[in-house]
């Protein structure tokens, strides 16, 4: 089966929608970014189609396939978005088939965390790892587990860790159940903390030393991250644990402290296994490295289903 040479890759996030391209499995320099607000204020698929047309007109790209991330639960048909907590208007939409009909190109969907982790195993910090667990802390919280290049999916939407029941302190984010992990360790949760302390979110970790109350809240935030990571490590026993997402890239983010807490709260001492904790290197561009493999795997699944 001939693989497409040119892919248009769309990274749909809670804050922004980024467009880029891969040609012969090599990421290109072209990048175009839009605000995710457009997906909330109008029909999200129509808005995404409008962005796509604009990108194709501006860039001159002639992709054979579009690969788009999904920031949430994706149905087993690889078409219907079951639930996207940060872009609720996508819920229930058959994103692949609807977008295909609007732009005239085949569309392959993949969970954002899966595409990010595959990209890191191909060209990033998880290169060479046969069994890799990735946790990504951004606007939401995503996770994926890949073994020999194949993502673990369970019965469909496994490892939507941001929706994991957590802590029971009564916190709730708009559009989501009470007391899920995202209410405690996501970018949305951090924004609420920043607002409460009157600090710009990009400076919360920088200013913690001069604000004792903020420092206490951030210490709890990082401990909660460590508990979530330790839980996932215990369940999947990965060879490599990869941490990434926009929060981990913020100025002053306490990477060393988080690593120490993960070491203390995952069963490394009991098992005698060393902790292989790595930090994502590619950012959102990991999707560009993962996209060709996602298309290949999608086509294989389609062929097997015939």
């Amino acid at each position: 089966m001939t693989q497409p040479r040119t892919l248009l890759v769309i990274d749909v996030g809670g804050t922004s929608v980024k467009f880029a391209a891969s040609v012969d499995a090599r990421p290109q320099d072209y990048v175009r970014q839009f605000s995710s607000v457009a997906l909330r204020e109008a029909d999200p698929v129509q808005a995404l189609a409008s962005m796509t047309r604009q990108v194709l007109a501006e860039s001159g790209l002639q992709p054979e396939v579009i690969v788009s991330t999904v920031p949430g639960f994706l149905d087993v048909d690889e078409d219907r978005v079951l639930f996207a907590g940060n872009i609720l208007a996508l819920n229930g939409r058959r994103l692949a088939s609807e977008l295909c009909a609007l732009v005239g190109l085949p569309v392959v969907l993949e969970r954002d965390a899966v595409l990010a982790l595959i990209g890191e195993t191909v060209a990033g910090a998880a290169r060479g790892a046969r069994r890799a667990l990735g946790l990504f802390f951004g606007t939401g919280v995503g996770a994926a587990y890949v073994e020999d290049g194949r993502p673990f999916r369970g019965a469909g939407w496994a490892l939507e860790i941001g929706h994991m029941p957590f802590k029971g302190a009564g916190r709730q984010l708009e559009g989501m159940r009470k007391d899920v992990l995202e209410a405690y360790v996501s970018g949305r949760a951090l924004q609420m903390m920043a607002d409460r302390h009157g600090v710009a979110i990009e400076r919360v970790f920088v200013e913690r030393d001069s604000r004792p109350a903020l420092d206490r809240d951030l210490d709890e935030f990082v401990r909660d991250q460590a508990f979530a990571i330790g839980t996932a490590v215990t369940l999947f026993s990965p060879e490599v644990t990869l941490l990434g997402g926009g929060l981990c890239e913020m100025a002053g983010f306490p990477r060393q402290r988080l690593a120490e807490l993960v070491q203390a709260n995952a069963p490394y001492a009991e098992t005698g296994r060393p902790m292989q904790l790595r930090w994502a290197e590619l950012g959102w561009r990991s999707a560009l490295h993962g996209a060709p493999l996602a298309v290949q795997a999608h086509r294989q699944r389609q062929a097997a289903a015939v």
Side-chain angles (χ1 to χ4, degrees), residues 79-90:
D79 188 8
R80 186 162 64 104
V81 178
L82 294 174
F83 186 82
N86 293 313
I87 307 177
L88 297 173
L90 284 173

Side-chain angles (χ1 to χ4, degrees), residues 184-203:
Y184 294 87
V185 299
S186 67
R188 286 209 283 168
L190 192 65
Q191 181 66 69
M192 292 170 65
M193 184 191 302
D195 293 343
R196 191 164 64 248
H197 289 278
V199 180
I201 187 170
E202 62 271 14
R203 293 193 57 80

Side-chain angles (χ1 to χ4, degrees), residues 43-55:
D43 181 292
V45 185
Q46 293 279 357
L48 201 57
S50 177
M51 295 175 190
T52 302
R53 294 189 200 99
Q54 185 173 336
V55 164

